[in-house]
Amino acid sequence: MPTPLTRNLIVNGRRRKVSVPDDAEPLLYVLREQCDQRGPRFGCGVSQCGACTVIVNGTVTRSCVTDLNTVPDGASIQTLDGIGTEQRPHPLQQAFVDQQAGQCAFCINAMVMGALGWIESRIAEGNRAVPSRQEITDYLSGAAPGSTLNYLCRCGTHTRIVEAIHSGAAQMVRERVKR
Amino acid sequence: MSAAELSRRGFLKGAGSLAVGFALVPALGLRDVAVAAPSGKGPKGSGPGHDRQLRVDPVTHAGADDAWLILTPGTTTIYSARVELGTGVQTALTQIVLEELRLGLRGVNFVQGDTILTPSASTTGSKSIQDGGPLLRQAAATAYQALLGLAAEDLRVAPNQLRAQDGEFVVIGSKRRVSYDHLLGKAHLLLTSDAMAPVVAPSNYRIVGQPVSRADLPGKAHATFAFVSDVVVPDMLHGRVIRPTGRNSTFSSITPDSLARAQAIPGFVKVVQRGNFVGVVATSEYAASVAAAPATGIVVEWEPGPALAPQETLDAALRDPDNHYLDYTDQNVGDFATAFAGAQRQLTAQYFSPFQMHGAMGASCAVADVRAKPDPVTGVQATIWSGTQNVYGLRGVLAALLFGSADDVEKVYVRYEEGSGCYGHNGADDVSADAALLSQAVGRPVRVQWTRQDENGWEPLGEAASHDLEAGITGGEIVAWHHRLYALTANSRPGANNPGTVLAGTLMGFLPNDLPNNSHDSSGRNSPVTYDFANVLTDAKLVRSFNTDPASPAKATAPLTYRFLRTTALRSLGGFSNSFANESFLDEIAHATGRDPLRLRLDSLSTDARAHAVVAALEPYWDKRPAGGHGIGAGIAFHQYEVAFTYVAAYVEVRVDPARGVIKVDRVVVAHDCGLVINPDGLRNQIEGNVIQGVSRALKEQVTYGPVNGTAHTGVTSVVWETSSFHPGPQYSVVRFDEVPKIEVILINRPDQPAWGAGEPTIGTIGGAIGNAVFAATGRRIRQLPMTPDVFLAAPTE
């Protein structure tokens, strides 16, 4: 029999108490159905495209294969819905708009959230270099040190996505140096 | 005159182009319908029902209450038959409207693809700007003329004394002015679009031709935009479908133990089975997924059906006369047979492309709300939120599927909600029918989210194709050219109000539409060439996708038995494979006759200056190309979309590891002439997308099918993006970030020419250009897609 589970999550800074009748329910569904999040999207359900990407306690996470029972109580979760607004966009969101880095743009949740977690962790490790286009390409191809996650775009917006992450990362680094 | 006494449509038929003071039928309950809309969408208060507005309707009405354009004080709303599929047409169409209205750059509401509110048209074939743009331009020009008349009356001057800019009219040479909003606040105009209304001269364009930012991107980047998968309606349940194990498999039973197991799942609502259509409904997406999974929910037993033509011998099967139902000649210039026989030299080659997928990043999704009886006010009984390319086509099909009669279309309300990019007819219509059936069965709204395995396994595919190419050469000149195509259909879109045109319908036993009686501009798209060869024959053997009636060979027989996988429109349809064959073969001829491939094309395009110009634009790159050999080489290809519209030439540089057979595309330069450029940045984005998807399809993409998990069932087996230890089956592999080339785009803008489409033209040039570059790099001629290492290593060398 399935095991019910209640978790206290912090989604984009807001406390959310979520309950599922089966603790194996993926985080993706919990975020979409119980927390009203639109950023994490169902793409493949098997961690191969990135559409469902969120950040859990600072770690880039494919929410489609993350059972709720593996998410610690009190976990802090960031989603595309919460990292900025159109009035006060996150530098990566601003960069995606500036570079017009979207066609259907269904996938860009993946690249924004994946890049955000990746760049934040670089900065946290003291690496304040803006990642090169090659490093970004490697990261998004699952060929960067420490990440084998691949990110897929079907419309062919790849070149603009890499540019957007490059300029968004530069802004993130600038803001960090200012602090 | 009371509104109730007069049907608005009847009034319009009898009216001139301008009617002042006419009261609209109050909303037909449309506001109630709109309330159910997901947030952030819908008419946003500018729809029918406002008592002060300027409204322009199409001359011919398709829907109940369709419009092109409604202006109220402070608000402009476009009602677009053409929908935003992620290609930026919303922004480009808006630019056209703002230009004609002289409104300046301002926000415009965009209501799209709605069987109550918008006119009828499908969003296909790179035609939104080309065909939809002029219609909206005329509607806006009609509105502008009406505003001009109002302004002249208000300011008591002749219209030619007025100048309009940024939403106001100014009397020339004075400070007297009046705003559109002031005029609209007093007016109530109902117009039909006037085809003769004067339009802005291209030399005066201020908004058209500018790289305006996409209207939809900020919402998408901030997750405020609602895709169809984000649609939530009150009381909504979640459904999943359970497809047969194989393509021709039939329903046998649901094992009782597994049904009991599913019923015990918290949130389980119902199992629905109608013929071979099986689905489950639950209160959450997760519960539905558990109930639909054989390991945890219901187990459906399927009876294997006849096998599909094996993939290993697909090329031979396409060429097998037993699989042909019709011969078709597309183009016949001069006398090919005589010229070929009399030529000094004959060259022949065979080409082949596999089945390929649309492969939307978001698996198909739809929401349906089918009630027990029609709403007493609106008459609507079924509302479907769908990513379809044709809301009206789907409406008829669903009316027949749900209510047994296509005459019941008024009971069905289909409203477009954007899905992830579709690149043609993908699973969007099929999932809409799934949701509608499940909703009807449970009497509550149901959202159906396909899994990746549903999508890859059952979406309608781009067709496999075989090609015979023949050329006669005399004195180094091509005197005879023949392209024979072995063609599966590229057109099985929902239509003719036939429930058998959606997957759920065929699974319930309905038959698909008759197979087409030609391949012109569908699977045969761009099999004809633009080159001015003297004797040209383009013909096709049309291949039956399923068993058909011997007496009427285009007609399916019951029970429907597929011989090949279901195929339909995938970006550029047959153009991708046909141009690959044509452009590769032309390269073969160039090399066989010692002619320069680029100059051979220039010489063969001497009668079409625009065609000549796009090839000539690549000359500087071509002349500096790598010498060829040692695994590095360059190639070019050209085609004119549909042999009638946008001109494209592509230059490609590749790097090949000849030992491993791995091809890497390093650089692509595209020269592109689609006439008037509406939005150069949006256009570049589309061209870049065509290049990258073209690289993916040329090098990587191939649907694999055959026995499923070692059973007697045959079906698609490439149901994941990547083979892994968790998913050991075949993969449908698409391009990764580190496989994307450097892309340069040369736009040839022709403001004095009509604006043609750009969503598909470029992709057709990519396969040929890559193949030709590989030949230059290695001396191997690739005549088969995708150009995987195995294919490369098996390819003939010169």
Side-chain angles (χ1 to χ4, degrees), chain B residues 253-284:
Chain B
S253 65
I254 297 170
T255 64
D257 289 358
S258 73
L259 184 59
R261 179 173 65 178
Q263 285 164 339
I265 293 166
F268 172 87
V269 173
K270 192 169 185 172
V271 171
V272 178
Q273 183 247 325
R274 296 176 71 179
N276 297 319
F277 176 85
V278 182
V280 296
V281 182
T283 55
S284 73

PDB file of all heavy atoms in Angstrom, chain B residues 253-284:
ATOM      1  N   SER B 253      -8.497  -7.780 -23.134  1.00  0.00           N
ATOM      2  CA  SER B 253      -9.130  -7.721 -21.813  1.00  0.00           C
ATOM      3  C   SER B 253      -8.298  -6.867 -20.865  1.00  0.00           C
ATOM      4  O   SER B 253      -7.139  -6.555 -21.146  1.00  0.00           O
ATOM      5  CB  SER B 253      -9.250  -9.140 -21.222  1.00  0.00           C
ATOM      6  OG  SER B 253      -7.952  -9.651 -20.984  1.00  0.00           O
ATOM      7  N   ILE B 254      -8.928  -6.515 -19.773  1.00  0.00           N
ATOM      8  CA  ILE B 254      -8.197  -5.925 -18.651  1.00  0.00           C
ATOM      9  C   ILE B 254      -8.192  -6.983 -17.563  1.00  0.00           C
ATOM     10  O   ILE B 254      -9.260  -7.489 -17.181  1.00  0.00           O
ATOM     11  CB  ILE B 254      -8.872  -4.641 -18.150  1.00  0.00           C
ATOM     12  CG1 ILE B 254      -8.860  -3.576 -19.257  1.00  0.00           C
ATOM     13  CG2 ILE B 254      -8.192  -4.119 -16.891  1.00  0.00           C
ATOM     14  CD1 ILE B 254      -9.709  -2.362 -18.952  1.00  0.00           C
ATOM     15  N   THR B 255      -7.044  -7.368 -17.075  1.00  0.00           N
ATOM     16  CA  THR B 255      -7.026  -8.450 -16.094  1.00  0.00           C
ATOM     17  C   THR B 255      -7.733  -7.991 -14.820  1.00  0.00           C
ATOM     18  O   THR B 255      -7.490  -6.873 -14.329  1.00  0.00           O
ATOM     19  CB  THR B 255      -5.591  -8.910 -15.774  1.00  0.00           C
ATOM     20  OG1 THR B 255      -4.897  -7.835 -15.161  1.00  0.00           O
ATOM     21  CG2 THR B 255      -4.856  -9.322 -17.043  1.00  0.00           C
ATOM     22  N   PRO B 256      -8.635  -8.830 -14.306  1.00  0.00           N
ATOM     23  CA  PRO B 256      -9.471  -8.412 -13.157  1.00  0.00           C
ATOM     24  C   PRO B 256      -8.641  -7.999 -11.942  1.00  0.00           C
ATOM     25  O   PRO B 256      -8.972  -7.015 -11.266  1.00  0.00           O
ATOM     26  CB  PRO B 256     -10.303  -9.655 -12.858  1.00  0.00           C
ATOM     27  CG  PRO B 256     -10.305 -10.451 -14.133  1.00  0.00           C
ATOM     28  CD  PRO B 256      -8.995 -10.171 -14.795  1.00  0.00           C
ATOM     29  N   ASP B 257      -7.567  -8.747 -11.666  1.00  0.00           N
ATOM     30  CA  ASP B 257      -6.728  -8.395 -10.513  1.00  0.00           C
ATOM     31  C   ASP B 257      -6.179  -6.984 -10.638  1.00  0.00           C
ATOM     32  O   ASP B 257      -6.131  -6.223  -9.667  1.00  0.00           O
ATOM     33  CB  ASP B 257      -5.537  -9.363 -10.407  1.00  0.00           C
ATOM     34  CG  ASP B 257      -5.987 -10.737  -9.967  1.00  0.00           C
ATOM     35  OD1 ASP B 257      -7.203 -10.897  -9.709  1.00  0.00           O
ATOM     36  OD2 ASP B 257      -5.135 -11.639  -9.890  1.00  0.00           O
ATOM     37  N   SER B 258      -5.750  -6.678 -11.861  1.00  0.00           N
ATOM     38  CA  SER B 258      -5.136  -5.358 -12.046  1.00  0.00           C
ATOM     39  C   SER B 258      -6.188  -4.255 -11.946  1.00  0.00           C
ATOM     40  O   SER B 258      -5.886  -3.158 -11.481  1.00  0.00           O
ATOM     41  CB  SER B 258      -4.404  -5.287 -13.385  1.00  0.00           C
ATOM     42  OG  SER B 258      -5.319  -5.204 -14.467  1.00  0.00           O
ATOM     43  N   LEU B 259      -7.392  -4.553 -12.376  1.00  0.00           N
ATOM     44  CA  LEU B 259      -8.456  -3.551 -12.246  1.00  0.00           C
ATOM     45  C   LEU B 259      -8.726  -3.262 -10.773  1.00  0.00           C
ATOM     46  O   LEU B 259      -8.836  -2.107 -10.347  1.00  0.00           O
ATOM     47  CB  LEU B 259      -9.728  -4.036 -12.941  1.00  0.00           C
ATOM     48  CG  LEU B 259     -10.892  -3.037 -12.949  1.00  0.00           C
ATOM     49  CD1 LEU B 259     -10.500  -1.727 -13.636  1.00  0.00           C
ATOM     50  CD2 LEU B 259     -12.126  -3.645 -13.606  1.00  0.00           C
ATOM     51  N   ALA B 260      -8.781  -4.335  -9.983  1.00  0.00           N
ATOM     52  CA  ALA B 260      -8.985  -4.155  -8.535  1.00  0.00           C
ATOM     53  C   ALA B 260      -7.830  -3.351  -7.929  1.00  0.00           C
ATOM     54  O   ALA B 260      -8.041  -2.475  -7.084  1.00  0.00           O
ATOM     55  CB  ALA B 260      -9.105  -5.518  -7.862  1.00  0.00           C
ATOM     56  N   ARG B 261      -6.626  -3.642  -8.416  1.00  0.00           N
ATOM     57  CA  ARG B 261      -5.455  -2.913  -7.916  1.00  0.00           C
ATOM     58  C   ARG B 261      -5.575  -1.419  -8.257  1.00  0.00           C
ATOM     59  O   ARG B 261      -5.302  -0.549  -7.418  1.00  0.00           O
ATOM     60  CB  ARG B 261      -4.193  -3.510  -8.543  1.00  0.00           C
ATOM     61  CG  ARG B 261      -2.917  -2.835  -8.125  1.00  0.00           C
ATOM     62  CD  ARG B 261      -1.715  -3.578  -8.646  1.00  0.00           C
ATOM     63  NE  ARG B 261      -1.636  -3.556 -10.106  1.00  0.00           N
ATOM     64  CZ  ARG B 261      -0.659  -4.091 -10.818  1.00  0.00           C
ATOM     65  NH1 ARG B 261       0.334  -4.725 -10.197  1.00  0.00           N
ATOM     66  NH2 ARG B 261      -0.644  -4.034 -12.129  1.00  0.00           N
ATOM     67  N   ALA B 262      -5.988  -1.131  -9.497  1.00  0.00           N
ATOM     68  CA  ALA B 262      -6.127   0.270  -9.900  1.00  0.00           C
ATOM     69  C   ALA B 262      -7.202   0.974  -9.080  1.00  0.00           C
ATOM     70  O   ALA B 262      -7.036   2.123  -8.653  1.00  0.00           O
ATOM     71  CB  ALA B 262      -6.451   0.355 -11.395  1.00  0.00           C
ATOM     72  N   GLN B 263      -8.292   0.259  -8.852  1.00  0.00           N
ATOM     73  CA  GLN B 263      -9.405   0.871  -8.119  1.00  0.00           C
ATOM     74  C   GLN B 263      -9.014   1.232  -6.689  1.00  0.00           C
ATOM     75  O   GLN B 263      -9.621   2.107  -6.071  1.00  0.00           O
ATOM     76  CB  GLN B 263     -10.609  -0.075  -8.129  1.00  0.00           C
ATOM     77  CG  GLN B 263     -11.308  -0.087  -9.496  1.00  0.00           C
ATOM     78  CD  GLN B 263     -12.256  -1.261  -9.684  1.00  0.00           C
ATOM     79  OE1 GLN B 263     -12.133  -2.269  -8.983  1.00  0.00           O
ATOM     80  NE2 GLN B 263     -13.161  -1.146 -10.645  1.00  0.00           N
ATOM     81  N   ALA B 264      -7.995   0.552  -6.178  1.00  0.00           N
ATOM     82  CA  ALA B 264      -7.548   0.838  -4.808  1.00  0.00           C
ATOM     83  C   ALA B 264      -6.587   2.022  -4.725  1.00  0.00           C
ATOM     84  O   ALA B 264      -6.221   2.462  -3.636  1.00  0.00           O
ATOM     85  CB  ALA B 264      -6.880  -0.408  -4.224  1.00  0.00           C
ATOM     86  N   ILE B 265      -6.175   2.534  -5.878  1.00  0.00           N
ATOM     87  CA  ILE B 265      -5.229   3.659  -5.864  1.00  0.00           C
ATOM     88  C   ILE B 265      -5.953   4.908  -5.363  1.00  0.00           C
ATOM     89  O   ILE B 265      -7.026   5.253  -5.881  1.00  0.00           O
ATOM     90  CB  ILE B 265      -4.668   3.902  -7.284  1.00  0.00           C
ATOM     91  CG1 ILE B 265      -3.801   2.712  -7.718  1.00  0.00           C
ATOM     92  CG2 ILE B 265      -3.871   5.200  -7.353  1.00  0.00           C
ATOM     93  CD1 ILE B 265      -3.474   2.692  -9.194  1.00  0.00           C
ATOM     94  N   PRO B 266      -5.397   5.577  -4.370  1.00  0.00           N
ATOM     95  CA  PRO B 266      -6.056   6.789  -3.878  1.00  0.00           C
ATOM     96  C   PRO B 266      -6.216   7.808  -5.015  1.00  0.00           C
ATOM     97  O   PRO B 266      -5.246   8.117  -5.691  1.00  0.00           O
ATOM     98  CB  PRO B 266      -5.092   7.316  -2.805  1.00  0.00           C
ATOM     99  CG  PRO B 266      -4.241   6.154  -2.431  1.00  0.00           C
ATOM    100  CD  PRO B 266      -4.150   5.286  -3.645  1.00  0.00           C
ATOM    101  N   GLY B 267      -7.440   8.249  -5.226  1.00  0.00           N
ATOM    102  CA  GLY B 267      -7.701   9.211  -6.289  1.00  0.00           C
ATOM    103  C   GLY B 267      -8.192   8.585  -7.581  1.00  0.00           C
ATOM    104  O   GLY B 267      -8.563   9.297  -8.518  1.00  0.00           O
ATOM    105  N   PHE B 268      -8.219   7.261  -7.641  1.00  0.00           N
ATOM    106  CA  PHE B 268      -8.711   6.601  -8.851  1.00  0.00           C
ATOM    107  C   PHE B 268     -10.173   6.966  -9.086  1.00  0.00           C
ATOM    108  O   PHE B 268     -10.973   7.007  -8.149  1.00  0.00           O
ATOM    109  CB  PHE B 268      -8.571   5.081  -8.701  1.00  0.00           C
ATOM    110  CG  PHE B 268      -9.227   4.311  -9.822  1.00  0.00           C
ATOM    111  CD1 PHE B 268      -8.536   4.026 -10.992  1.00  0.00           C
ATOM    112  CD2 PHE B 268     -10.550   3.882  -9.716  1.00  0.00           C
ATOM    113  CE1 PHE B 268      -9.136   3.328 -12.020  1.00  0.00           C
ATOM    114  CE2 PHE B 268     -11.164   3.181 -10.746  1.00  0.00           C
ATOM    115  CZ  PHE B 268     -10.461   2.908 -11.901  1.00  0.00           C
ATOM    116  N   VAL B 269     -10.532   7.224 -10.356  1.00  0.00           N
ATOM    117  CA  VAL B 269     -11.928   7.525 -10.673  1.00  0.00           C
ATOM    118  C   VAL B 269     -12.533   6.469 -11.588  1.00  0.00           C
ATOM    119  O   VAL B 269     -13.572   5.896 -11.294  1.00  0.00           O
ATOM    120  CB  VAL B 269     -12.065   8.931 -11.314  1.00  0.00           C
ATOM    121  CG1 VAL B 269     -13.489   9.175 -11.797  1.00  0.00           C
ATOM    122  CG2 VAL B 269     -11.647  10.010 -10.310  1.00  0.00           C
ATOM    123  N   LYS B 270     -11.884   6.182 -12.714  1.00  0.00           N
ATOM    124  CA  LYS B 270     -12.548   5.306 -13.673  1.00  0.00           C
ATOM    125  C   LYS B 270     -11.579   4.777 -14.725  1.00  0.00           C
ATOM    126  O   LYS B 270     -10.630   5.467 -15.094  1.00  0.00           O
ATOM    127  CB  LYS B 270     -13.670   6.096 -14.385  1.00  0.00           C
ATOM    128  CG  LYS B 270     -14.619   5.236 -15.197  1.00  0.00           C
ATOM    129  CD  LYS B 270     -15.842   6.051 -15.653  1.00  0.00           C
ATOM    130  CE  LYS B 270     -16.833   5.128 -16.356  1.00  0.00           C
ATOM    131  NZ  LYS B 270     -18.103   5.800 -16.647  1.00  0.00           N
ATOM    132  N   VAL B 271     -11.869   3.574 -15.196  1.00  0.00           N
ATOM    133  CA  VAL B 271     -11.238   3.064 -16.412  1.00  0.00           C
ATOM    134  C   VAL B 271     -12.250   3.217 -17.535  1.00  0.00           C
ATOM    135  O   VAL B 271     -13.423   2.876 -17.375  1.00  0.00           O
ATOM    136  CB  VAL B 271     -10.835   1.579 -16.270  1.00  0.00           C
ATOM    137  CG1 VAL B 271     -10.375   1.016 -17.626  1.00  0.00           C
ATOM    138  CG2 VAL B 271      -9.731   1.405 -15.241  1.00  0.00           C
ATOM    139  N   VAL B 272     -11.800   3.747 -18.656  1.00  0.00           N
ATOM    140  CA  VAL B 272     -12.684   3.951 -19.802  1.00  0.00           C
ATOM    141  C   VAL B 272     -12.166   3.099 -20.953  1.00  0.00           C
ATOM    142  O   VAL B 272     -10.984   3.180 -21.307  1.00  0.00           O
ATOM    143  CB  VAL B 272     -12.697   5.443 -20.218  1.00  0.00           C
ATOM    144  CG1 VAL B 272     -13.588   5.649 -21.444  1.00  0.00           C
ATOM    145  CG2 VAL B 272     -13.155   6.312 -19.062  1.00  0.00           C
ATOM    146  N   GLN B 273     -13.025   2.278 -21.510  1.00  0.00           N
ATOM    147  CA  GLN B 273     -12.614   1.448 -22.647  1.00  0.00           C
ATOM    148  C   GLN B 273     -13.692   1.490 -23.711  1.00  0.00           C
ATOM    149  O   GLN B 273     -14.862   1.228 -23.448  1.00  0.00           O
ATOM    150  CB  GLN B 273     -12.376   0.004 -22.197  1.00  0.00           C
ATOM    151  CG  GLN B 273     -11.869  -0.903 -23.321  1.00  0.00           C
ATOM    152  CD  GLN B 273     -12.868  -1.964 -23.718  1.00  0.00           C
ATOM    153  OE1 GLN B 273     -13.596  -2.478 -22.875  1.00  0.00           O
ATOM    154  NE2 GLN B 273     -12.938  -2.270 -25.006  1.00  0.00           N
ATOM    155  N   ARG B 274     -13.278   1.898 -24.899  1.00  0.00           N
ATOM    156  CA  ARG B 274     -14.213   1.903 -26.036  1.00  0.00           C
ATOM    157  C   ARG B 274     -13.441   1.344 -27.226  1.00  0.00           C
ATOM    158  O   ARG B 274     -12.591   2.026 -27.798  1.00  0.00           O
ATOM    159  CB  ARG B 274     -14.707   3.318 -26.324  1.00  0.00           C
ATOM    160  CG  ARG B 274     -15.530   3.882 -25.162  1.00  0.00           C
ATOM    161  CD  ARG B 274     -15.955   5.313 -25.382  1.00  0.00           C
ATOM    162  NE  ARG B 274     -16.976   5.439 -26.418  1.00  0.00           N
ATOM    163  CZ  ARG B 274     -17.528   6.609 -26.769  1.00  0.00           C
ATOM    164  NH1 ARG B 274     -17.161   7.725 -26.172  1.00  0.00           N
ATOM    165  NH2 ARG B 274     -18.438   6.652 -27.717  1.00  0.00           N
ATOM    166  N   GLY B 275     -13.715   0.101 -27.576  1.00  0.00           N
ATOM    167  CA  GLY B 275     -12.937  -0.561 -28.619  1.00  0.00           C
ATOM    168  C   GLY B 275     -11.497  -0.694 -28.170  1.00  0.00           C
ATOM    169  O   GLY B 275     -11.222  -1.178 -27.059  1.00  0.00           O
ATOM    170  N   ASN B 276     -10.581  -0.218 -28.994  1.00  0.00           N
ATOM    171  CA  ASN B 276      -9.160  -0.293 -28.632  1.00  0.00           C
ATOM    172  C   ASN B 276      -8.692   0.942 -27.873  1.00  0.00           C
ATOM    173  O   ASN B 276      -7.508   1.084 -27.586  1.00  0.00           O
ATOM    174  CB  ASN B 276      -8.303  -0.454 -29.891  1.00  0.00           C
ATOM    175  CG  ASN B 276      -8.610  -1.754 -30.616  1.00  0.00           C
ATOM    176  OD1 ASN B 276      -8.790  -2.790 -29.980  1.00  0.00           O
ATOM    177  ND2 ASN B 276      -8.694  -1.695 -31.935  1.00  0.00           N
ATOM    178  N   PHE B 277      -9.614   1.848 -27.611  1.00  0.00           N
ATOM    179  CA  PHE B 277      -9.259   3.032 -26.829  1.00  0.00           C
ATOM    180  C   PHE B 277      -9.413   2.716 -25.351  1.00  0.00           C
ATOM    181  O   PHE B 277     -10.499   2.330 -24.901  1.00  0.00           O
ATOM    182  CB  PHE B 277     -10.153   4.218 -27.199  1.00  0.00           C
ATOM    183  CG  PHE B 277      -9.887   5.432 -26.349  1.00  0.00           C
ATOM    184  CD1 PHE B 277      -8.880   6.318 -26.680  1.00  0.00           C
ATOM    185  CD2 PHE B 277     -10.630   5.677 -25.202  1.00  0.00           C
ATOM    186  CE1 PHE B 277      -8.615   7.433 -25.892  1.00  0.00           C
ATOM    187  CE2 PHE B 277     -10.369   6.791 -24.404  1.00  0.00           C
ATOM    188  CZ  PHE B 277      -9.359   7.665 -24.749  1.00  0.00           C
ATOM    189  N   VAL B 278      -8.334   2.861 -24.612  1.00  0.00           N
ATOM    190  CA  VAL B 278      -8.373   2.620 -23.172  1.00  0.00           C
ATOM    191  C   VAL B 278      -7.731   3.804 -22.455  1.00  0.00           C
ATOM    192  O   VAL B 278      -6.670   4.291 -22.870  1.00  0.00           O
ATOM    193  CB  VAL B 278      -7.621   1.324 -22.786  1.00  0.00           C
ATOM    194  CG1 VAL B 278      -7.729   1.072 -21.288  1.00  0.00           C
ATOM    195  CG2 VAL B 278      -8.158   0.128 -23.559  1.00  0.00           C
ATOM    196  N   GLY B 279      -8.380   4.262 -21.414  1.00  0.00           N
ATOM    197  CA  GLY B 279      -7.806   5.340 -20.621  1.00  0.00           C
ATOM    198  C   GLY B 279      -8.227   5.211 -19.177  1.00  0.00           C
ATOM    199  O   GLY B 279      -9.139   4.434 -18.840  1.00  0.00           O
ATOM    200  N   VAL B 280      -7.535   5.938 -18.328  1.00  0.00           N
ATOM    201  CA  VAL B 280      -7.917   5.973 -16.919  1.00  0.00           C
ATOM    202  C   VAL B 280      -8.093   7.424 -16.504  1.00  0.00           C
ATOM    203  O   VAL B 280      -7.475   8.322 -17.087  1.00  0.00           O
ATOM    204  CB  VAL B 280      -6.870   5.312 -15.997  1.00  0.00           C
ATOM    205  CG1 VAL B 280      -6.752   3.827 -16.304  1.00  0.00           C
ATOM    206  CG2 VAL B 280      -5.525   5.999 -16.114  1.00  0.00           C
ATOM    207  N   VAL B 281      -8.931   7.634 -15.513  1.00  0.00           N
ATOM    208  CA  VAL B 281      -9.155   8.978 -14.983  1.00  0.00           C
ATOM    209  C   VAL B 281      -8.975   8.926 -13.474  1.00  0.00           C
ATOM    210  O   VAL B 281      -9.416   7.966 -12.814  1.00  0.00           O
ATOM    211  CB  VAL B 281     -10.568   9.495 -15.336  1.00  0.00           C
ATOM    212  CG1 VAL B 281     -10.765  10.918 -14.815  1.00  0.00           C
ATOM    213  CG2 VAL B 281     -10.801   9.444 -16.837  1.00  0.00           C
ATOM    214  N   ALA B 282      -8.309   9.962 -12.960  1.00  0.00           N
ATOM    215  CA  ALA B 282      -8.066  10.032 -11.515  1.00  0.00           C
ATOM    216  C   ALA B 282      -8.075  11.491 -11.091  1.00  0.00           C
ATOM    217  O   ALA B 282      -8.156  12.391 -11.932  1.00  0.00           O
ATOM    218  CB  ALA B 282      -6.728   9.379 -11.173  1.00  0.00           C
ATOM    219  N   THR B 283      -7.977  11.701  -9.799  1.00  0.00           N
ATOM    220  CA  THR B 283      -8.067  13.080  -9.306  1.00  0.00           C
ATOM    221  C   THR B 283      -6.747  13.835  -9.411  1.00  0.00           C
ATOM    222  O   THR B 283      -6.732  15.052  -9.286  1.00  0.00           O
ATOM    223  CB  THR B 283      -8.522  13.102  -7.837  1.00  0.00           C
ATOM    224  OG1 THR B 283      -7.628  12.278  -7.079  1.00  0.00           O
ATOM    225  CG2 THR B 283      -9.943  12.583  -7.694  1.00  0.00           C
ATOM    226  N   SER B 284      -5.641  13.115  -9.593  1.00  0.00           N
ATOM    227  CA  SER B 284      -4.365  13.809  -9.754  1.00  0.00           C
ATOM    228  C   SER B 284      -3.610  13.174 -10.917  1.00  0.00           C
ATOM    229  O   SER B 284      -3.883  12.032 -11.304  1.00  0.00           O
ATOM    230  CB  SER B 284      -3.516  13.720  -8.480  1.00  0.00           C
ATOM    231  OG  SER B 284      -3.001  12.407  -8.333  1.00  0.00           O
TER     232      SER B 284
END
